[in-house]
């Protein structure tokens, strides 16, 4: 009887085992593969001061071996992927600064994980030989690029406002016109330059007195072949002159005139000529002029070494008057004395000038009474007879006799014997003595 119960029990256990296999991993969170039920977790008492967890980086070349305590059954219904414990893979950055920990003698990894410095992608690491450089996060604008290119071009072309001619000198002359002549030789490669200017600087005090229509400029430069050889000379007149009244500079663009790659050692000559008017009379003044041939419009006085300047000393416009040294009335008989007495000869006056072209002028005259050396006086006897026959009493103060404008040629005033200075003795009784009078002529700058 007991054997029957024992056999029945064994058959029941075998049947149950075939229809309900139990497969567990050696972990607390194992799950029954067949019923998908999770075991009740074991409650553990928490340690008030738990030891710090040790982080052991896995070896990427090895996978975690399955637990040996409970190997999975070889049943065909069990999938290996379902019974394996999932392993969290921690990738190690592919960085030259990272090191992979080596196993110790017991085959375990060290308890302290390696520390790798993290940095931004594409971040430059400064070294002793190459200092760190801040790289702008945004590309430069087109304006900034243009400014950089301009600065580079300036570095190539040299200092701003350089002189293009060597041994530049300035000479000048003045009579009715101011003429400035700049002379020098070329030494600079023009391929590096964008612009070329001939500049003359005039004292700003003179600018208001320049007749703009009288400004003329000329050039006399060598004609250069493409291989740099001189094949003659080019001369002519500048078509356009620009006057800057604030700086006092007269500027000429000569890009077309000096368009060869290399200036030769031959002579380059440029002139500027103009007229002046309405300067104050008789006030000595000094005026300094400058000239340069440059690559920029700059104040050329700052580039001057003294040889490229010329100083003009002006005493101001001068008026000249030429009059007879004496006026002879001859011998007059006493019985004919009470009348108008004319001169013995024609009277000529000449009006001229220096640097006063176009100036207005006025001529005045006055005289002292006729008198003898013994003191006998004939008052109101000296007059000036005009062309229309009017008698102007010269003893009563200066009398205006004529006016005009200074011309290139002197102005000649001629009076016949019965015009100009005459004596009126109709109311006088002269003695048989010699009479004298002083005549004063005055030429003034006035309309």
């Amino acid at each position: 009887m007991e054997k029957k119960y024992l056999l029945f029990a064994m058959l029941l256990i075998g049947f149950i085992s075939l229809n309900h296999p139990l497969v567990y991993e050696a972990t607390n969170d194992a799950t029954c593969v067949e019923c998908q039920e999770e075991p009740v977790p074991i409650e553990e008492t928490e340690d008030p001061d738990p030891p710090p967890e040790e982080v052991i980086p896995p070896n990427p070349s090895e996978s975690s071996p399955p637990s040996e305590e409970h190997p999975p059954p070889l049943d065909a219904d069990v999938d290996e992927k379902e019974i394996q414990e999932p392993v969290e893979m921690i990738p190690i950055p592919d960085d030259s600064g990272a090191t992979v920990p080596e196993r110790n003698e017991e085959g375990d990894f060290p308890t302290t994980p390696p520390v790798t410095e993290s940095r931004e992608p594409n971040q430059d690491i400064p070294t002793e030989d190459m200092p760190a450089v801040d790289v702008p996060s945004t590309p430069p604008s087109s304006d900034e690029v243009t400014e950089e290119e301009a600065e580079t071009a300036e570095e190539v072309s040299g200092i701003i406002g350089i002189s293009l001619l060597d041994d530049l000198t300035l000479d000048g002359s003045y009579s009715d016109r101011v003429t400035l002549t700049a002379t020098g030789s070329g030494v600079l490669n023009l391929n590096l330059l964008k612009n070329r200017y001939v500049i003359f600087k005039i004292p700003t005090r003179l600018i208001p007195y320049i007749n703009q229509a009288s400004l003329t400029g000329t050039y006399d430069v060598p004609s250069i072949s493409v291989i740099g050889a001189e094949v003659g000379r080019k001369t002519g007149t500048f078509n356009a002159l620009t006057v800057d009244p604030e700086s006092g500079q007269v500027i000429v663009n000569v890009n077309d005139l000096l368009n060869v790659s290399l200036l030769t050692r031959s002579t380059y000559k440029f002139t500027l000529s103009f007229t002046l008017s309405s300067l104050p009379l008789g006030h000595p003044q000094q005026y300094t002029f400058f000239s340069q041939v440059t690559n920029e419009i700059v104040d050329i006085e700052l580039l001057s070494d003294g040889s490229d300047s010329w100083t003009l000393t002006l005493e101001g416009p001068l008026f000249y008057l030429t009059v007879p040294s004496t006026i002879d009335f001859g011998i007059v008989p006493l019985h004919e004395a009470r009348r108008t007495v004319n001169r013995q000869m024609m009277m000529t006056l000449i009006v001229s000038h220096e640097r006063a072209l176009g100036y207005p002028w006025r001529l005045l005259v006055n005289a002292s009474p006729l008198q003898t050396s013994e003191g006998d006086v004939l008052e109101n006897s000296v007059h000036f007879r005009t062309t229309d026959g009017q008698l102007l009493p010269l003893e009563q103060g200066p009398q205006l006799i004529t006016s005009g404008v200074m011309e290139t040629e002197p102005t000649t005033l001629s009076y016949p014997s019965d015009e100009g200075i005459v004596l009126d003795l109709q109311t006088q009784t002269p003695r048989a003595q010699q009479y004298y009078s002083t005549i004063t002529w005055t030429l003034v700058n006035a309309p």
Side-chain angles (χ1 to χ4, degrees), residues 63-85:
S63 60
S64 299
S67 176
E68 295 182 358
E69 295 181 5
H70 299 282
L74 301 178
D75 193 288
D77 296 336
V78 180
D79 191 349
E80 282 187 75
K81 296 181 180 180
E82 295 180 2
I83 64 176
Q84 290 180 354
E85 180 183 359

Side-chain angles (χ1 to χ4, degrees), residues 71 77 88 93 130 265 270 333 335 344 355 362 426 434:
D77 296 336
E88 180 180 2
M130 183 177 66
R265 297 296 302 181
F270 305 95
H335 66 279
Q344 294 292 302
R355 303 178 296 275
R362 302 174 71 183
Q426 298 182 30
Q434 193 171 16

Side-chain angles (χ1 to χ4, degrees), residues 158-163 294-296 298 303:
I159 303 173
I160 296 178
I162 57 177
S163 176
T294 70
N295 64 319
E296 297 286 346
V298 295
L303 304 177

Side-chain angles (χ1 to χ4, degrees), residues 360-377:
W361 56 268
R362 302 174 71 183
L363 182 59
L364 298 91
V365 62
N366 65 297
S368 62
L370 284 172
Q371 63 182 358
T372 66
S373 58
E374 296 180 358
D376 185 44
V377 178

Side-chain angles (χ1 to χ4, degrees), residues 236-254:
T237 302
F238 293 124
N239 295 326
L241 300 173
T242 301
V243 180
D244 182 1
E246 294 185 0
S247 65
Q249 296 193 148
V250 180
I251 304 165
V252 185
N253 188 306
V254 291

Side-chain angles (χ1 to χ4, degrees), residues 128-357:
E128 293 182 359
D129 297 333
M130 183 177 66
V133 178
D134 293 334
V135 179
S137 58
T138 59
S141 63
S142 59
D143 293 340
E144 293 176 351
V145 173
T146 304
E147 291 178 359
E148 292 177 359
E149 293 177 352
E151 292 177 357
T152 304
E154 289 177 1
E155 293 177 357
V156 172
S157 62
I159 303 173
I160 296 178
I162 57 177
S163 176
L164 307 187
L165 296 183
D166 191 22
D167 300 329
L168 182 68
T169 60
L170 180 64
D171 295 318
S173 63
Y174 179 59
S175 58
D176 289 334
R177 298 180 67 89
V178 175
T179 301
L180 306 173
T181 303
T183 306
S185 58
V187 294
L188 194 63
N189 192 334
L190 298 184
N191 280 338
L192 303 178
L193 305 176
K194 296 181 180 180
N195 298 303
R196 302 124 206 179
Y197 300 96
V198 174
I199 303 177
F200 291 90
K201 183 169 184 177
I202 301 171
T204 53
R205 292 176 296 165
L206 291 181
I207 292 296
Y209 304 107
I210 293 178
N211 297 320
Q212 298 288 338
S214 70
L215 275 170
T216 58
T218 64
Y219 60 87
D220 182 359
V221 299
S223 180
I224 310 300
S225 66
V226 293
I227 61 175
E230 183 175 343
V231 293
R233 298 191 68 82
K234 295 186 292 185
T235 60
T237 302
F238 293 124
N239 295 326
L241 300 173
T242 301
V243 180
D244 182 1
E246 294 185 0
S247 65
Q249 296 193 148
V250 180
I251 304 165
V252 185
N253 188 306
V254 291
N255 286 354
D256 295 335
L257 186 61
L258 303 181
N259 59 358
V260 295
S261 61
L262 187 66
L263 295 176
T264 71
R265 297 296 302 181
S266 298
T267 300
Y268 291 75
K269 184 182 295 185
F270 305 95
T271 66
L272 180 70
S273 177
F274 52 89
T275 60
L276 298 171
S277 62
S278 301
L279 293 180
L281 294 177
H283 294 280
Q285 297 287 341
Q286 286 190 334
Y287 304 94
T288 302
F289 301 81
F290 298 87
S291 181
Q292 273 290 350
V293 181
T294 70
N295 64 319
E296 297 286 346
I297 299 177
V298 295
D299 184 355
I300 60 174
E301 186 175 352
L302 302 178
L303 304 177
S304 176
D305 60 0
S307 63
D308 54 359
S309 64
W310 175 70
T311 300
L312 171 64
T313 300
L314 290 179
E315 295 181 355
L318 298 178
F319 284 7
Y320 298 106
L321 176 63
T322 304
V323 298
S325 59
T326 60
I327 299 176
D328 189 5
F329 291 90
I331 299 176
V332 179
L334 289 178
H335 66 279
E336 298 179 1
R338 298 177 65 87
R339 61 181 176 84
T340 300
V341 181
N342 298 328
R343 301 182 313 275
Q344 294 292 302
M345 58 189 308
M346 179 177 288
M347 182 180 72
T348 302
L349 310 176
I350 300 176
V351 177
S352 60
H353 68 91
E354 283 188 32
R355 303 178 296 275
L357 184 65

Side-chain angles (χ1 to χ4, degrees), residues 383-393 399-400 419-420 422:
H383 294 73
F384 186 94
R385 179 177 284 169
T386 63
T387 56
D388 59 0
Q390 183 181 2
L391 285 176
L392 304 176
Q399 302 291 324
L400 174 65
E419 293 181 4
V422 296

